[in-house]
Amino acid sequence: MEAKLAFSQESPPISIICAAKVADVPLTIDPSLPTGSAPILKFSSGESLHGVKPILHYIARSASFSSFSGKNNMEFGHVVEWLDYAPTFFSGSEFENACSFVDGFLASRTFLVGHGLTVADIAVWSNLAGIGQRWESLRRSKKYQNLVRWFNSIDAEYRDTLNEIVAAYVGKRGIGKSPAPSLKEKVHDSKDPSAPEVDLPGAKVGQVCVRFAPEPSGYLHIGHAKAALLNKYFAERYQGRLIVRFDDTNPSKESNEFVENLLKDIETLGIKYDAVTYTSDYFPMLMEMAESLIKQGKAYIDDTPKEQMRKERMDGIESRCRNNTVEENLSLWKEMVNGTERGMQCCVRGKLDMQDPNKSLRDPVYYRCNTDPHHRVGSLYNVYPTYDFACPFVDALEGVTHALRSSEYHDRNAQYYRILQDMGLRRVEIYEFSRLNMVYTLLSKRKLLWFVQNKKVEDWTDPRFPTVQGIVRRGLKVEALIQFILQQGASKNLNLMEWDKLWTINKKIIDPVCARHTAVLTDQRVIFTLTNGPEKPFVRILPRHKKCEGAGKKATTFTNRIWLDYADASAISKGEEVTLMDWGNAIINEIKMEGGVITELVGELHLEGSVKTTRMKITWLADMEELVPLSLVEFDYLICKKKLEEDEDFLENLNPCTRRETLALGDANMRNVKRGEIIQIERKGYYRCDAPFMRSSKPVVLFAIPDGRQQASLN
């Protein structure tokens, strides 16, 4: 079919043009669209495709060789993932991370998908080529050898075809400069037919219902926060409804404490919902549905031991109970409901397909016995539905139109749809996004619970924990967390994110407004005697932040004896002129020492001296009784490996030292610092007050806030 590719001359879609050339799909080029327009593929029939990804899909399917879109459905799925990922290279801040990720991925691979060239390779190749000089500089270096090997092999194979396009279009204004699309740019406005992509399939403004469904078996962590905020975003974007539903189907792990704190965390994130529901509200209906499926022969009771059942599912072996009669199954179901000894040996399994390559469809468990009391309904039930059984049922009943799930559940999507089909319920669209993984971080609630139970942390709000309450207690502003998550959008690409990026965003928020204070280390300080200093101490009122009037004022005392940090004192030479911050210059006349240790500096003020000529600008504190005792607390990661593989035991990778406390003395104004307030101790860093001043015998506790720079381990 004859096709014309229309695009803005400012931003030619190199990936489409390159893919069409390689695939031998003829295109007429029309660079006449307005600046900022998404590319459009127009057909002679009057039909058209809008946006890079749909056009690349079309080219892949129309290629002169069938494997360009992948050799099977699984490979095509991976191709789609790479097409989602390809624009990441255009994000300046993510470029190096993207190069590193793909370089590692290609360590043992020749192509991105399968064993042959696909449109995924061309899309990523052309985006790298489109970066221009920045990529060429990296290409000449030895930094990403696997990525460069892959790039060069494609370049060699299709040199004439691809280099002609790159030469024609790279260097055009906009190439290599446009950022990766934000979440807001990706979401389709159903009223605008020219919008490039539809994020939520079949979504209509005013008719969308999404749900955030945490299990109340722990506190909300940063991974859950991503899911919660994406649901909030899509509900607002489509003017729809957001349901918060507690998936409370396992009484052994759940409690009201977790429910209350999850609601607290959801409020902290600024999420406004339309309703709070519980899966336990639907227990009677779920039991009726289970019994109905048994009667229809779509489910059966199985008493196979757990380990044997797991092995049979892996091997595709049918259970000996699979062909029991409906009467036998109903009899055993009654035993389960009554919690008898015989019933406790059984579970309900769906009768799906034990030979399906997708193991999630091999007769999954729908119901199991549990006699532990439930935090809402007590001991009313002896059987509880599994998440896989309850979730599609409740989604359909509550009117959910789009179920957002992390891509770790991808293989279970077919199961979700099959269960809905067997139940005779309407279809709910699944929308996948990538799970948020952070370096040196465990997000499994089971593993986090181990730290709590074994007293390795205070509780779920410990600042070393990735829980919302933990990272906020450490000093993260919620605005920074929201910004960090929404910057990633609803991407399906699996990324291991650095904490440094999040803390860098946080610093940009707190630095312009947080008050400045001064402190010296209690065990590492030296007195500096100023021979011409004020005989009587005097006080000046100074701003707590020179560029932020809203930070308020502070009273600074000036005396002829002041404290310096030992590190500063040891770096000063006799006769040197230094600047005392917020005061003026001083000259060091004498350095007193005992046993090689500095005990005192003696000098004189030289206030007419120029601060521009001094090498050292030093913080100081007046020698006075009103100084405030401080405990400066630093934290480190709980594990000492950046990423744990699936078969690695986290207990073998525990960080031996994750908390360090240093005593200090702070200026008298720190008596007024409130719990939760963020300050900067000049030349020491940012801190959040965890325990404010109560009395002189008890120090103010300040938690160090990372600023995004690489910090040394506490070990």
Side-chain angles (χ1 to χ4, degrees), residues 90-388:
F90 283 157
S91 172
S93 61
E94 287 298 310
F95 176 70
E96 288 265 359
N97 287 339
C99 288
S100 178
F101 170 73
V102 180
D103 181 70
F105 184 83
L106 288 167
S108 59
R109 295 175 172 88
T110 305
F111 299 99
L112 292 176
V113 178
H115 301 289
L117 185 83
T118 66
V119 70
D121 295 288
I122 299 302
V124 174
W125 187 96
S126 56
N127 281 4
L128 276 171
I131 296 295
Q133 188 57 44
R134 186 177 183 187
W135 164 244
E136 287 304 319
S137 298
L138 272 179
R139 188 181 173 190
R140 288 192 295 270
S141 73
K142 296 182 179 180
K143 192 168 184 181
Y144 301 114
Q145 295 184 8
N146 299 314
L147 181 60
V148 170
R149 164 183 55 76
W150 166 86
F151 186 93
N152 289 344
S153 70
I154 295 175
D155 185 64
E157 181 73 19
Y158 298 95
R159 177 171 285 120
D160 294 339
T161 302
L162 297 178
N163 285 356
E164 178 187 346
I165 297 168
V166 172
Y169 292 106
V170 173
K172 299 285 185 184
R173 190 154 55 92
I175 288 294
K177 296 179 182 178
S178 60
S182 68
L183 179 63
K184 185 171 287 189
E185 291 166 342
K186 284 183 178 180
V187 179
H188 174 77
D189 184 345
S190 60
K191 294 180 181 178
D192 178 9
S194 67
E197 295 183 40
V198 179
D199 266 352
L200 294 181
K204 295 181 180 179
V205 173
Q207 298 179 31
V208 166
C209 178
V210 292
R211 48 72 170 160
F212 174 54
E215 180 187 6
S217 57
Y219 286 39
L220 201 74
H221 62 53
I222 189 169
H224 301 132
K226 177 176 182 178
L229 288 168
L230 287 175
N231 275 287
K232 169 184 183 285
Y233 180 85
F234 285 122
E236 292 176 351
R237 174 65 182 83
Y238 290 101
Q239 301 169 34
R241 298 180 68 243
L242 170 59
I243 296 170
V244 171
R245 182 202 309 144
F246 289 102
D247 177 44
D248 54 345
T249 59
N250 189 346
S252 303
K253 294 182 179 180
E254 299 155 2
S255 72
N256 284 320
E257 175 201 350
F258 295 137
V259 171
E260 291 164 5
N261 279 282
L262 285 166
L263 286 172
K264 176 181 176 181
D265 295 336
I266 289 167
E267 183 179 348
T268 297
L269 292 173
I271 294 172
K272 291 181 170 54
Y273 43 83
D274 294 279
V276 174
T277 65
Y278 299 80
T279 299
S280 54
D281 294 337
Y282 301 89
F283 280 173
M285 299 171 72
L286 282 159
M287 291 179 68
E288 288 176 11
M289 177 56 74
E291 189 166 322
S292 172
L293 293 178
I294 291 171
K295 290 177 179 177
Q296 295 175 57
K298 294 179 179 179
Y300 62 97
I301 309 298
D302 195 351
D303 62 359
T304 304
K306 190 174 182 180
E307 289 304 317
Q308 182 183 338
M309 184 187 299
R310 181 179 288 115
K311 187 176 187 307
E312 288 178 352
R313 288 191 72 196
M314 292 299 293
D315 297 339
I317 299 171
E318 291 187 1
S319 166
R320 59 180 176 78
C321 303
R322 198 173 197 269
N323 296 313
N324 285 351
T325 65
V326 170
E327 290 72 22
E328 289 174 311
N329 285 324
L330 288 173
S331 175
L332 289 172
W333 169 243
K334 187 175 181 180
E335 297 281 347
M336 288 180 64
V337 170
N338 292 331
T340 66
E341 184 177 350
R342 177 73 179 110
M344 295 293 289
Q345 299 169 351
C346 302
C347 68
V348 180
R349 294 178 68 180
K351 189 182 285 188
L352 304 186
D353 184 352
M354 285 299 292
Q355 270 64 55
D356 198 292
N358 183 340
K359 293 182 175 62
S360 74
L361 289 168
R362 295 183 181 179
D363 292 8
V365 174
Y366 285 174
Y367 256 91
R368 71 275 197 244
C369 289
N370 191 332
T371 56
D372 290 344
H374 188 278
H375 66 97
R376 290 188 75 230
V377 296
S379 299
L380 186 60
Y381 300 100
N382 297 307
V383 290
Y384 291 90
T386 60
Y387 173 86
D388 290 336

Side-chain angles (χ1 to χ4, degrees), residues 16 21 24 27 45 72 102 175 309 317 361 460 582 590 657 677:
I16 294 175
K21 280 285 187 181
D24 199 22
L27 294 180
S45 64
N72 51 48
V102 180
I175 288 294
M309 184 187 299
I317 299 171
L361 289 168
W460 289 87
D582 290 330
E590 184 181 359
C657 179
E677 184 177 351

